[in-house]
Amino acid sequence: MKDKPVNRRTLMKAAGLGAFAAGAGAFASITASRKGQAAAAADTALVRLSEKRRQGGRPVLAEAYGRPSPHEANVVRRVIPWMNPTRESNVSFTPLHALEGIITPNGLHFERHHAGAPDIAPQEHRLLVHGLVERPRVFTLEDLRRLPVHSRFHFLECAGNGALEWRGPQNNAVQFTHGMLSCCQWTGVLLKDVLKLCGLKRKAAWLLCEAADGAGYARSLPLEHALNGAMLVFAQNGEALRPEQGYPLRLLCPGLEGAASVKWIARIEVGDAPWMTREETARYADLRPDGKARLFTLEMEVKSVITHPCPENPLRRKGLQQLSGLAWSGRGRIVAVDVSFDGGVNWQPARLEEPVLPRCLTRFRLPFDWQGEELLLQSRAVDETGAVQPTYAQALSDKGETGIYHNNAITTWHVASDGKVTHVRLD
């Protein structure tokens, strides 16, 4: 299948300009104006819009806290009904197909709970730091806010994002194949500043980070990651954390699997070895074909996905199209994204949209001309370490069929001649 480049002729045709000669400008303008007036008269939507201009609108403070338009009511988080037996220990998925840019609105950030979201009053919350430290301390939120405050943009991705697709396509929606992923501006204090106040002892090498939820959720974190930009966060996209995102205080570990960013964090114990908790042995461990498991593979690998077109966003008409998607890596910046229209035989570079930040989502775009031919769309990202997003064949050869976590393999969308998009797996 040969890719069709978008050239000047294609763009002129798409804009409706190809039929007009340069010397007939005046006549063409008059003709176009009359046709436009006739089309406007026949378009009932334009008539209704004109009528609304004569009506008053909603007053200020119709809602003290603004909400999206009711016409966007379908842009919501969703769950897979059969995935988990209860809502308290479950996950909801971000509607990536319906978002623009790189920032996820707070109300659409994916959720992952192990015992539901607790209700914690900020004035009553405490953070205990103890163990291999010189000065054990209990911090209030007010104490933490006295430290230097930082705001940074980072993605957060569950290690299980894409796990359901590991053995073959199960979900025909990008919301469910990739929706355990969000990106926000996070505001808080650096964990290293808090640890510095407490004074780390010489043997300090690991942290146990524990939540104040009903599950007693806890994860071991290598000290090197704690000192590499980890934050104690109290705000998200300019406002206080939502309860489902850890209100009033959470840990954020940029670039690491989401399970390391403990929500409702209440205790940090410093030690010299990992604690081997349930959530890093029974779960979030990469089981190998030989029966052994890789532990603490925390960094999220380079990855990308096309969000338009996708199963939720089919192609509805022929002509000029705007392909768009997201790329990210827990190891730094994205430096390139290539797109294939024929299942990986040929590749074209996509444009990376600014800003391109480390350990943050990057939006990519590529215009193309579609005339009803079948397509096999793929995107392949490269990060600043030189890591290249693998095919499923390459990923399976490394992890085997049991290695369901950290699925960063290339996804394929099949575009049919009618524009319908389906999730497929290529051999």
Side-chain angles (χ1 to χ4, degrees):
M1 185 180 300
K2 186 177 180 181
D3 300 333
K4 294 189 175 182
V6 178
N7 51 35
R8 185 171 181 271
R9 178 177 296 178
T10 302
L11 292 172
M12 291 179 66
K13 181 179 179 181
L17 300 176
F20 296 94
F27 177 76
S29 298
I30 295 172
T31 303
S33 176
R34 290 175 178 172
K35 287 184 177 179
Q37 292 172 5
D43 192 331
T44 56
L46 286 174
V47 174
R48 289 194 299 270
L49 181 61
S50 178
E51 292 173 350
K52 285 186 177 294
R53 288 173 178 164
R54 303 189 186 99
Q55 303 171 7
R58 295 186 354 151
V60 298
L61 279 184
E63 293 179 290
Y65 190 92
R67 294 188 295 176
S69 164
H71 302 291
E72 302 296 322
N74 198 45
V75 182
V76 294
R77 295 180 292 215
R78 292 181 171 84
V79 299
I80 298 175
W82 51 264
M83 188 172 173
N84 287 295
T86 71
R87 289 288 181 91
E88 289 74 25
S89 180
N90 211 324
V91 59
S92 70
F93 297 79
T94 294
L96 298 176
H97 63 283
L99 302 182
E100 289 291 349
I102 60 173
I103 298 301
T104 307
N106 291 348
L108 297 177
H109 193 293
F110 80 93
E111 304 165 281
R112 176 65 174 108
H113 305 332
H114 294 82
D119 180 12
I120 302 174
Q123 65 273 17
E124 297 177 359
H125 191 67
R126 299 293 185 271
L127 173 66
L128 168 63
V129 181
H130 67 124
L132 293 180
V133 294
E134 300 292 346
R135 297 172 294 278
R137 287 191 59 170
V138 175
F139 295 88
T140 65
L141 288 177
E142 185 178 354
D143 293 333
L144 294 173
R145 286 177 177 270
R146 291 194 182 102
L147 298 174
V149 174
H150 305 265
S151 293
R152 296 178 178 178
F153 294 91
H154 292 298
F155 76 83
L156 194 62
E157 182 183 19
C158 179
N161 198 24
L164 295 176
E165 318 305 316
W166 186 244
R167 296 182 180 92
Q170 288 199 55
N171 294 286
N172 196 45
V174 73
Q175 182 164 12
F176 295 139
T177 61
H178 290 77
M180 284 188 269
L181 168 74
S182 298
C183 185
C184 298
Q185 184 190 51
W186 305 96
T187 299
V189 300
L190 294 178
L191 179 54
K192 68 179 182 181
D193 289 344
V194 174
L195 296 175
K196 184 178 180 180
L197 282 177
C198 296
L200 293 172
K201 291 187 176 181
R202 183 176 59 84
K203 291 186 178 181
W206 288 79
L207 308 182
L208 178 68
C209 304
E210 186 178 68
D213 67 343
Y217 180 85
R219 285 293 300 263
S220 300
L221 181 68
L223 182 60
E224 63 187 270
H225 289 306
L227 302 178
N228 186 26
M231 302 173 68
L232 291 167
V233 167
F234 45 76
Q236 172 186 7
N237 290 338
E239 64 178 4
L241 290 168
R242 297 291 175 91
E244 65 269 27
Q245 294 308 320
Y247 181 89
L249 186 70
R250 74 171 299 161
L251 177 65
L252 182 80
C253 298
L256 304 189
E257 62 186 30
S261 294
V262 176
K263 295 183 287 188
W264 317 291
I265 189 166
R267 185 170 74 94
I268 298 175
E269 182 177 356
V270 182
D272 59 1
W275 276 256
M276 298 298 181
T277 70
R278 174 181 179 271
E279 302 301 339
E280 57 205 24
T281 53
R283 294 185 178 182
Y284 304 110
D286 300 314
L287 186 63
R288 303 285 296 160
D290 59 6
K292 296 182 180 180
R294 288 178 179 170
L295 302 180
F296 305 109
T297 54
L298 297 173
E299 283 187 326
M300 300 306 294
E301 295 86 352
V302 63
K303 192 170 178 180
S304 69
V305 66
I306 295 170
T307 57
H308 188 279
C310 69
E312 298 99 320
N313 292 323
L315 298 180
R316 303 188 185 280
R317 62 179 64 184
K318 297 178 182 178
L320 182 63
Q321 311 290 335
Q322 296 294 331
L323 181 146
S324 178
L326 296 166
W328 62 100
S329 173
R331 295 170 179 166
R333 287 178 173 83
I334 294 296
V335 297
V337 176
D338 296 317
V339 172
S340 177
F341 293 86
D342 53 14
V345 177
N346 299 288
W347 296 91
Q348 298 182 32
R351 173 177 63 87
L352 303 185
E353 191 170 80
E354 294 291 341
V356 179
L357 303 172
R359 300 183 289 190
C360 182
L361 293 188
T362 295
R363 174 70 63 175
F364 64 87
R365 301 184 188 275
L366 181 66
F368 69 101
D369 181 47
W370 181 66
Q371 296 300 327
E373 67 272 29
E374 292 192 27
L375 304 174
L376 289 171
L377 294 178
Q378 296 180 337
S379 62
R380 181 182 63 190
V382 183
D383 70 21
E384 62 183 338
T385 71
V388 180
Q389 186 178 2
T391 65
Y392 263 100
Q394 291 168 333
L396 283 165
S397 67
D398 175 47
K399 299 180 180 180
E401 291 190 357
T402 55
I404 63 173
Y405 291 108
H406 292 233
N407 177 7
N408 69 321
I410 292 172
T411 294
T412 305
W413 303 135
H414 171 251
V415 180
S417 59
D418 61 358
K420 181 179 179 180
V421 182
T422 307
H423 184 201
V424 299
R425 175 75 60 83
L426 298 183
D427 295 333

